[in-house]
Each structure stands twice: as structure tokens, then as C-alpha cells.
Amino acid sequence: MADLRRFPLRALLVLGCLALGAASASAAPLDRAAFAADLCGDSAAQVRGAEGLVQAGGDLPTDDLAFAGRLLGALAERRLACPADGAVLLDRPGAPEGRDAIIGAPRPVSETRAPVLGLRQRAAIETARGTVALLTGPDPAARTVGLAVLERRIATVPAAVLDRARDAETDAALKATIAGLAQAAALSSPDPARRRAAIAAVAASPSGAAQARLAALKGDPAYAADPAFRAALDAGLAQVARAVAVGDGLAVVYNGLSFASILFMAAAGLAIIFGLMGVINLAQGEFIMLGAYATYAVQEAFRRLAPGLLDLYLVAAIPIAFLAVALVGIAVEALILRHLYRRPLMSLLATWAVSLFLVNLVRVTVGTQNLQFVMPAYVSGGVPLYADFVMTWNRLFAIGFAAATLVVTLLVLRRTPLGLDIRAVTQNRDMAACLGLPTRRVDRLAFGLGSGLAGLAGVALCPIYSVNPGMGAGFIVDSFMVVVLGGVGSLVGTLVAALGVGGANVLIEPISGAVAAKVIVLVGIILFLQRRPEGLFAVRRRR
């Protein structure tokens, strides 16, 4: 009975001893005296101590790593003095007194020597210091320096060091770099099982770089000699290739949408002007440029008057750019175009002259250099979604802005008195005039609305394209193609045509180049208009 009562106590003691043994095995302390003796020893001892620290670094306690780092730094900087017993850390090389490396007590340095490092020892010491910096660095910058040192001798770094650094890292970018380096080290490991596991890990995070990294292993001797390695590599490559193809497809769709959004923004105002008044406004590209310059003016006003709110300048520029360019458009219509409605060739030449005037006016007053914009946080950077596909915020801003502009413009045209007047004049100008509609005033307001939409396009372009006096010339031809293809005066047709033209350009450009892509798209539009001259969506008219 007494033995039975003692059995639980014995069991607990055994379990406690096992737990202590496991803890000591997982985090074995550093023999500090032996490590200091190695650093003060000959070249072989120094290499042995440094390499032993690197091999044990994944399991050593943090305070032991910090202790080793102090000694390694002192040795590299010639601040380590080695008396007959122990080691002394000096504040500076040649100091008469220092502190004992083990106990930290002050100690004179008479009859001591300073160990000298050769090339082989210095390389081993630097690798050990890099290990300590990676595992105990106080900030991401210090840990990045340590990782860069280890990267040069990655074959000598055990997996436990990189795994510990990766698991403990708080900086997302550095964590990803450590993980990538660990994968690269595992891919060249002599352990076949570890290499197969590394292949699976690389394939689980597909990208173009991962595909190239795995493809390079096809030249490895193990690919021909080891069937299991070959099967794992082929499966990983197939998985990565599929993911990269999907990511590239998503990137094409995303870039096509962003380009189509810009085209729609540039062509929406032109569709209203051309559809209502029959005026080929060659100054529409310059109105886009004015919108971009108005955005720059708002940015500079924020920089001087409210620098703390500078990130909001893009939002504040939306109504200002619209109103500023709309007023310019109304002035152009009132001073020039209202006299030329019955003379389409003269109106074309007049708008061309207006475009030249605006370009040269901006060149003289502002300059010809590209404007420098501050990129707010909501249009900077992006988020990786799948494989190499990154959703960038500036293009997402353009897509969302174009969608909001479409909704607001449709509401104006369908739900407001001005929109009703514009639609009435577009369908039958003479009948609208007979019913008492002021068609000239409607023309003027519609021209201002179309010009203001071009100004909004300039706001959307600022985070994506270079802003300079000649930027509008690159959009005028594409804008007219979109308007004619979609159907003159049809806003929905303009949207569909912009999606088609933008998508075709993005699809063809990587194959044939930018110039050839535009030529191919133009030829396709001409062939389509031969069969359907009224475009995709013809506006109903009564004459």
C-alpha cells in the first residue's frame, strides 16, 4: 500500500526530469568560458568557436547570443584582450583596462595579447556575427544587415537559424525575404527529403521567380538519378506554371480595365459634345491636360496652406478641376464655336487652334517639364493577390473613379432637366427649338459638361501618367475611335467601346508592340465600321 502511495510521486519526479531534459535540449546554454577561450585561441579554435555558434544558433537562448555577439564584435574590432586566463573586453583598442568577458568586473590588461584574424577566420567570425544580428537585432535594419551577411555563405547556415528568425520576425517584408532565403537554402540541401519539402513550399507560393528557381533544378544530377525528386520537381513546376498563367491573365484583365477606364474618361465628354453638336473637338486632349494642371495647382495650394492635409488634395481637386475646365469650355463655345455650328470644317480647325493655344500657353506660363505629384497612401503601392498579379491602388483608383463618373453622368443625363434638354436637342434640334428649348444655351452647357468630364480624366491620370503640356495629344485619336465605335452620342456605347479598345490594346501590345497594337486595333475598327457605320449603339434621332 505504501508503494502504491509513493508511485504517483515517483511518476511526477520522472516526468519533471524528462521535461527539464527536453527544455535543456531545445535551448542548450552556451559554454561561455569555452567560447571565450576559443576566440582567444589559435586560428583553428577561432573557426571552431564561430562555426559552433552558427550551428547552435537556432537553439541558443537570447542572452547567450547577445553575449557571443559582444565577444565577436570585440574580436573583429580588435577590442578583445586575451590574458592567460579568460578574456577582457576593451572600450577601445589598446585601452589599459577593460571588463572581464565572463563576469563583467573591471580588469587590467597587462601581459595580454590581442588575437589577429586571418581571411578564413574573419569569414567565419562575420558569419557568426551575422547570425547573432539576424536573431537578436533590435530593429529590422540591423536584422537585414545580418541576413545579407548570411546570404553570402548560406550553405553553412543551418535551417534552424533561418526558421527561428522567420518565426520571430515582425517586419512582413523581411519575414518574406528570410522565408525565400530559407527555401533557397533548402533546395540545395544534401538531404533529399528536405529538398522535396522545399520544392513543395516553393510551389505553394507561386511566382515567376519561383518558376525560374524550380526550373534551374532540372539541371541538378538528382533530377536524373532520383525518381522521387524528379516527380516532386515536375509536379511543383506544373503547379507553379498554372498559377503564373492565371496571375498573368488577371494582370491583363486588370490592366485592360484600367486602360479602358482612362479611355472612357477621356471620351465621355467628347461623346456628349460630338453627339449633341456635331463638333469634332480637337482640343479635348488639352482639356484633359488642363484638368491635370488644375490638380497640380490644388496640390500646391494644400502644400502651402494645409500641409497636414496634403493626402486629400486628389479628392479636393475633383470638383475644382471639373469646374475650372468646364468654365474654359463654356468660354471657348461662347467666343468661338457658336459662330461655326453650320461650318463643321471651320469648327474643326478652330478647336485645333484652341488646342495649340492652350499647349503653348501652359508651356510659357508653367514650363515643359513633367510635374511632380505627391502620391497619397490610397494611390500608392498595391497588394499581391495571386502569383505575380499585384492590384495597384493607382489603377484601382482610376477604375473606381471612372465607374463613379459614369454613374453621375448617367444620372445627370437621365434625371435632371439639363439632361432632358440635352437628350431632346440631340434627338431633334429643330423640334426642340420649336417647343421653346433654348438650344444655344443647351449647347453651351453641354459643351461645358463635356469639357468638365475631360478635366476629371486629367485628375484620374495624375497618379498613373506623366503630366506635361503635350500629354493630351496621346488621347485624342483613341478618344475619337472610342466615340465612333460606340455610336455617336451614346454614353453606354462609349463605355463598351472603351472596354473593347482598351482590352484589345493590352492583349496585343505584349505580342506585337505598342505601335503595332494601335495599328491593328485601328484596322479592326475600320473593318467593323464598314459593316456597321452607326457604331455599336446608335442614338435614335428624328429629322
Side-chain angles (χ1 to χ4, degrees), residues 170-311:
T170 56
D171 183 83
L174 183 55
K175 189 183 188 77
T177 304
I178 296 172
L181 188 60
Q183 288 177 353
L187 287 175
S188 58
S189 171
D191 183 3
R194 187 184 175 197
R195 297 188 78 183
R196 292 195 296 272
I199 290 172
V202 171
S205 302
S207 65
Q211 188 175 20
R213 187 180 300 169
L214 292 181
L217 293 179
K218 281 196 168 185
D220 194 283
Y223 184 75
D226 187 353
F229 178 81
R230 181 170 60 252
L233 182 58
D234 289 342
L237 273 172
Q239 178 182 347
V240 172
R242 287 193 300 270
V244 169
V246 172
D248 291 344
L250 291 174
V252 168
V253 172
Y254 185 65
N255 292 336
L257 279 176
S258 64
F259 185 54
S261 300
I262 298 300
L263 281 182
F264 171 76
M265 296 284 293
L270 194 61
I272 295 174
I273 295 171
F274 193 25
L276 174 68
M277 301 154 57
V279 173
I280 301 176
N281 181 20
L282 293 182
Q284 191 76 0
E286 280 58 49
F287 289 162
I288 296 173
M289 178 265 295
L290 290 181
Y293 273 79
T295 305
Y296 180 76
V298 173
Q299 171 191 278
E300 294 306 300
F302 268 75
R303 191 194 302 275
R304 295 181 182 180
L305 302 178
L309 302 176
L310 186 59
D311 277 357

Side-chain angles (χ1 to χ4, degrees), residues 254 257-258 261-262 264-265 318 392-408 460:
Y254 185 65
L257 279 176
S258 64
S261 300
I262 298 300
F264 171 76
M265 296 284 293
I318 293 174
T392 54
W393 299 132
N394 57 351
R395 293 187 178 274
L396 188 62
F397 173 79
I399 294 171
F401 193 27
T405 301
L406 173 63
V407 171
V408 172

Side-chain angles (χ1 to χ4, degrees), residues 286-295 297-298 316-332 358 447-449 451-456 459:
E286 280 58 49
F287 289 162
I288 296 173
M289 178 265 295
L290 290 181
Y293 273 79
T295 305
V298 173
I318 293 174
I320 295 175
F322 177 84
L323 292 175
V325 182
L327 290 175
V328 173
I330 289 173
V332 169
L358 292 176
F447 199 93
L449 174 62
S451 303
L453 290 176
L456 293 182
V459 177

Side-chain angles (χ1 to χ4, degrees), residues 96-112:
E97 186 181 60
R99 290 188 174 274
D100 188 273
I102 306 299
I103 63 176
R107 182 173 177 179
V109 293
S110 58
E111 299 183 3
T112 62

Side-chain angles (χ1 to χ4, degrees), residues 108-207:
V109 293
S110 58
E111 299 183 3
T112 62
R113 63 182 182 84
V116 179
L117 296 177
L119 292 178
R120 182 167 178 264
Q121 299 94 289
R122 185 170 294 278
I125 295 298
E126 288 301 320
T127 304
R129 294 185 69 189
T131 302
V132 173
L134 177 63
L135 296 176
T136 64
D139 52 56
R143 297 192 291 272
T144 300
V145 172
L147 183 64
V149 172
L150 295 186
E151 191 172 3
R152 295 196 290 267
R153 301 188 65 196
I154 191 60
T156 65
V157 181
V161 171
L162 297 175
D163 291 343
R164 176 178 175 177
R166 180 197 60 212
D167 296 339
E169 185 54 57
T170 56
D171 183 83
L174 183 55
K175 189 183 188 77
T177 304
I178 296 172
L181 188 60
Q183 288 177 353
L187 287 175
S188 58
S189 171
D191 183 3
R194 187 184 175 197
R195 297 188 78 183
R196 292 195 296 272
I199 290 172
V202 171
S205 302
S207 65

